[in-house]
Amino acid sequence: MKANELKELIKGGALSKYPELYATPERQAERFIKAIDEFARLYGEDRDIEIFSVPGRSEIMGNHTDHNRGCVLAGAIDRDIIAVAAKNDDGIIRFMSEGFGEIKVDLSMIDDPANFEKYTSESLVAGLARGMQLEGYSIGGYDAYSTTEVLKGSGISSSAAFEVMIGNILNYAYCDGEVKNEEIAKLSQYAENVFFGKPCGLMDQMACAVGGFVYIDFEDSKNPVVEPINFSLSDAGYSLCIVNTGGNHANLNDDYASIPYEMKAVAKEFGKEVMRGLTADEVIAKIPELREKLGDRAIMRALHFINENERVRRSAAALKVADKETFFKGICESGQSSFNYLQNVYTTQNVAEQGLSLALCVSEQYLAGKECYFRVHGGGFAGTIQVFVKNELADGYCAYMDKIFGDGAAMNLRIRPVGACKLF
């Protein structure tokens, strides 16, 4: 479809056909039209273009479990990255994101990861294309312009949404949309592991790709069990709020790395590589020896893993039968365990800065006596918290938190049932 045709379609209210993606299609229409205009300016007005969408994600439960082959519960959210794209014949992927420079990847160079600098967007694009090629899928060049509401540093996985978008466009441009979204997620992980150089898990990519609530069991890390769960949080009367405390992530690598390291150190004392498979009774029986060798924190983190893993399974089962009480009980228990035992709510390097602790404190203060459930969100130490509140309380809560942490810090979100897709 040509740019002018697509703009007229959107101006005529076409986005209202996607209520599961956009609660306010009128506001989104302006965003889409601006993206089409920008594509036309960059890459030509007479191209046959298509529009794609990939949501961000929220970790619902499973705080620091995936790296020890545990279970997680995640959810796609109604903030997305959109891209206007058109195929080209020169074998080059050009990807321009609003506010950033153009990414340019020659597909004739993707056979060797060494051709691309690690930790760059180019390496991710090359890795996605190479991964699809190795799996026997057709690939080719395209030009794309994107804009995003999945903001970097907001704790809703902007990098995973970007990775899935690269594969999403290739899928529809060259594979007629036949590549399953779960496969695109795995290819995104391949790109990040092999080309980008980061040994990430699969939770973020899978949640962005699949959509809705999704339960993932990483016991077999190469072939994780992925199970979508059909549950509407908003229909049940609740909103998901994410609050970005604006903390400084610099110099936190050692804090993040210490968690899997300490868990695996405990596992090693039992002759295992990871915590998966150990029981709380086994760990507790060996506490005197573990304290002497590894210290108390490692033991508490190991017990957090065991209990969190069981919470995820129990909560996922509860969502399947719309058992809200059990699910929200698990949310509270997860938050308490992360604060008390996993200890990833603030860094001991700078105890004066405790944005997450403060956000949890003032949330409890504001929502006292009201039905609400909150926990640290994601990796922790800095960044975001997660709060579930009744729909009618969400806007007031977000406004209150914005006064403390800055305009736009609090996001009132819905769980989006649709993952990576092509519109129209």
Side-chain angles (χ1 to χ4, degrees), residues 58 64 94 104 159 195 296 319 339 342 355:
S58 173
H64 282 282
R94 300 178 185 85
K104 191 174 181 179
S159 59
F195 278 68
D296 297 334
L319 278 185
F339 205 135
L342 185 63

Side-chain angles (χ1 to χ4, degrees), residues 228-291:
I229 299 175
N230 183 20
F231 177 80
S232 172
L233 186 68
S234 54
D235 287 351
Y238 296 87
S239 295
L240 167 62
C241 299
I242 302 293
V243 181
N244 186 359
T245 66
N248 185 4
H249 288 78
N251 302 317
L252 293 178
N253 287 340
D254 289 344
D255 290 287
Y256 292 123
S258 71
I259 295 178
Y261 174 82
E262 290 181 8
M263 288 182 181
K264 290 176 181 179
V266 173
K268 188 176 180 180
E269 293 299 314
F270 293 87
K272 294 179 175 291
E273 292 183 2
V274 295
M275 282 298 304
R276 182 66 179 260
L278 288 172
T279 67
D281 287 343
E282 288 174 313
V283 173
I284 292 170
K286 207 170 182 178
I287 280 180
E289 181 182 340
L290 293 172
R291 290 188 75 187

Side-chain angles (χ1 to χ4, degrees), residues 18 24 67 94 101 111-112 121 132 134 136 176 180 297 305 345:
Y18 298 97
T24 55
H67 47 60
R94 300 178 185 85
D111 59 318
D112 186 355
S121 297
M132 293 187 71
L134 289 173
D176 296 324
K180 293 182 178 180
R297 189 175 69 174
F305 171 87
V345 176

Side-chain angles (χ1 to χ4, degrees), residues 2-27:
K2 303 299 184 183
N4 286 337
E5 295 173 322
L6 191 50
K7 284 168 60 177
E8 289 303 314
L9 190 68
I10 293 170
K11 289 177 182 178
L15 285 175
S16 62
K17 298 178 181 179
Y18 298 97
E20 69 277 19
L21 272 63
Y22 305 114
T24 55
E26 301 84 4
R27 182 180 68 82

Side-chain angles (χ1 to χ4, degrees), residues 192-226:
E192 195 157 345
N193 291 172
V194 178
F195 278 68
F196 188 79
K198 180 181 177 181
C200 71
L202 186 60
M203 179 187 72
D204 295 348
Q205 294 89 343
M206 193 64 72
C208 293
V210 174
F213 284 103
V214 59
Y215 166 79
I216 312 172
D217 186 337
F218 290 105
E219 185 170 22
D220 181 351
S221 57
K222 293 184 178 179
N223 296 286
V225 175
V226 179

Side-chain angles (χ1 to χ4, degrees), residues 392-405:
E392 59 268 22
L393 299 174
D395 287 341
Y397 169 75
C398 288
Y400 176 79
M401 297 302 279
D402 279 355
K403 291 179 182 178
I404 297 171
F405 295 101

